[in-house]
Amino acid sequence: MVTVEDPGDAGAFKDFVPEASSPAAAAPEPASQASAPTPAPVSAPAPATAQPSASGDRVIASPRAHTLAKEKGYGEISALRIVGTGPGGRIIAQDVLDYDPSSAPAVAEAVASQPAAAAAPAKAAPTPLPQPVAGAGYTDYSLPPSAIELASRLHSSKQNVPHYYLTIDLALDSLLELRSSLNSTMKEDEGITVNDLLLKAAAAAMKTVPSANASWMDSFVRVYDSVDINVVVGNGSSLYAPVIRDVGSRGLKAVSDDFAAATAAVEDSEETPTAAGFGDVGTFTMVNVGMFGVKSCAPIIREPQACALALGVIENRIVPNDDVDSEEIYKESVMMTATLSCDHRVVDGAVGAQWLSAFKNHVENPMTLLL
């Protein structure tokens, strides 16, 4: 708008157009436009959630963690989404205790939503081991993951478990006679072995001394009702300890069939056997080193078990004659040496001696195994 003093001068400004306002005269912009936008608050990062590996990486966990996972009904620890807090990401017992199963479905859905191309194959081909590396006066040989895991478990067990050892000699004459009698009524390829009878004898000893069929659980001792025996078979990198279930309550032939099937699975498989019982932990372990001519052995206890039994070579020995009617002072007998390793937290010396005495009684009086 133009203001004049004389009304006659108004016509001179008839076509007047005001110029655009300069930037200095421009009205100030709203503060919301002039100032830089305020960044949105950043929320704290969510806790790390373990994701299943798409490359099939092996899960490293302590023996105690494996045991806790099974005791709590979670199954194999490799199937869980647990973040390990131990050295190198190792899953320890506390990680299993802190695990919340309710978070597993959400993780599983997230994994399922990923493209199929990112999913791991159902069964990846076994990765061949690298070739041996020769050095100056030595050669380095790579180990399969199963051998590395076994070494880790044995190392942990030897450190954690206070071992002590008891040894006894066993006369097998009566046991061999019973075996021969039983096999005479069976087919040639279905015979009972000495190992089968010794398995039954170990289970029978557990019935006599049930406190040896137990585990150390940190704040209490758990005693098991069923005698499930891990039997070590194979050798070297093909060393396995399948479980023979409920040996004490089943018949000798059923136990023999299970043990034969486990042995055949190891001999016929080029990879890790997947038959029932492989990879499981029982309540007791038995290993027979007699096939190598070894007289005795002090085995390492497999956590969380409390005992492990090692059997030596079967051999003829000259022993004192216990027949009071015989004129001979000595006699020849078929003998074996057995060594029991015990966890002193669970099985003290007196209990261990009672178990070994009961085992000897069943071996030298084998008819008790048929009752």
Side-chain angles (χ1 to χ4, degrees):
M1 180 180 70
V2 179
T3 303
V4 295
E5 294 181 357
D6 188 352
D9 294 334
F13 296 95
K14 177 179 59 175
D15 298 325
F16 175 75
V17 177
E19 295 180 358
S21 301
S22 65
E29 296 182 358
S32 60
Q33 297 179 2
S35 60
T38 303
V42 179
S43 60
T49 302
Q51 299 289 342
S53 172
S55 59
D57 293 339
R58 182 170 62 88
V59 175
I60 305 298
S62 69
R64 179 68 177 143
H66 280 281
T67 302
L68 279 175
K70 293 182 179 179
E71 289 175 352
K72 290 182 172 294
Y74 298 155
E76 291 295 334
I77 203 168
S78 58
L80 306 178
R81 278 79 179 177
I82 298 181
V83 176
T85 60
R90 180 185 178 92
I91 298 175
I92 59 176
Q94 190 60 44
D95 298 329
V96 179
L97 294 174
D98 295 340
Y99 173 64
D100 182 9
S102 62
S103 64
V107 176
E109 292 175 4
V111 175
S113 64
Q114 295 177 355
K123 183 177 181 181
T127 304
L129 293 177
Q131 293 296 319
V133 178
Y138 63 87
T139 303
D140 294 333
Y141 295 89
S142 299
L143 295 174
S146 59
I148 296 175
E149 182 174 0
L150 175 62
S152 175
R153 291 187 178 188
L154 293 177
H155 177 261
S156 175
S157 182
K158 190 63 175 176
Q159 284 187 319
N160 297 336
V161 177
H163 288 63
Y164 74 92
Y165 312 97
L166 300 171
T167 301
I168 200 168
D169 290 327
L170 310 171
L172 303 185
D173 303 273
S174 298
L175 188 84
L176 295 176
E177 289 179 7
L178 175 62
R179 173 178 176 265
S180 178
S181 177
L182 293 174
N183 286 344
S184 65
T185 64
M186 304 171 66
K187 296 180 181 179
E188 185 175 351
D189 59 344
E190 297 181 354
I192 302 297
T193 67
V194 172
N195 224 55
D196 299 334
L197 291 164
L198 293 173
L199 274 171
K200 286 293 294 182
M206 286 298 185
K207 286 187 176 182
T208 305
V209 188
S211 56
N213 192 42
S215 293
W216 175 257
M217 307 301 290
D218 292 334
S219 60
F220 59 92
V221 171
R222 175 171 295 168
V223 179
Y224 300 98
D225 298 327
S226 174
V227 182
D228 303 327
I229 303 181
N230 287 97
V231 185
V232 179
V233 294
N235 58 77
S237 60
S238 298
L239 190 67
Y240 303 100
V243 175
I244 310 300
R245 297 286 182 187
D246 202 11
V247 179
S249 301
R250 299 165 63 206
L252 182 58
K253 184 64 171 63
V255 172
S256 177
D257 289 344
D258 280 2
F259 181 63
T263 303
V266 172
E267 294 175 348
D268 298 341
S269 178
E270 295 181 358
E271 304 175 18
T272 302
T274 57
F278 282 86
D280 296 338
V281 180
T283 63
F284 182 73
T285 293
M286 192 174 84
V287 54
N288 193 331
V289 295
M291 65 183 73
F292 304 106
V294 177
K295 183 176 181 179
S296 65
C297 168
I300 298 175
I301 297 170
R302 182 176 185 177
E303 290 185 295
Q305 298 173 1
C307 296
L309 180 69
L311 304 171
V313 65
I314 298 175
E315 59 185 358
N316 292 330
R317 302 179 193 172
I318 302 300
V319 298
N321 193 347
D322 54 1
D323 185 357
V324 294
D325 297 328
S326 176
E327 296 181 357
E328 300 293 333
I329 300 177
Y330 300 100
K331 67 175 182 179
E332 186 177 36
S333 180
V334 181
M335 303 291 293
M336 167 188 281
T337 297
T339 301
L340 182 68
S341 298
C342 301
D343 181 347
H344 210 295
R345 299 172 299 181
V346 182
V347 180
D348 62 26
V351 174
Q354 291 171 9
W355 188 94
L356 208 51
S357 176
F359 178 67
K360 177 182 175 70
N361 179 66
H362 288 299
V363 169
E364 298 185 350
N365 299 279
M367 293 302 293
T368 59
L369 304 179
L370 305 179
L371 300 176

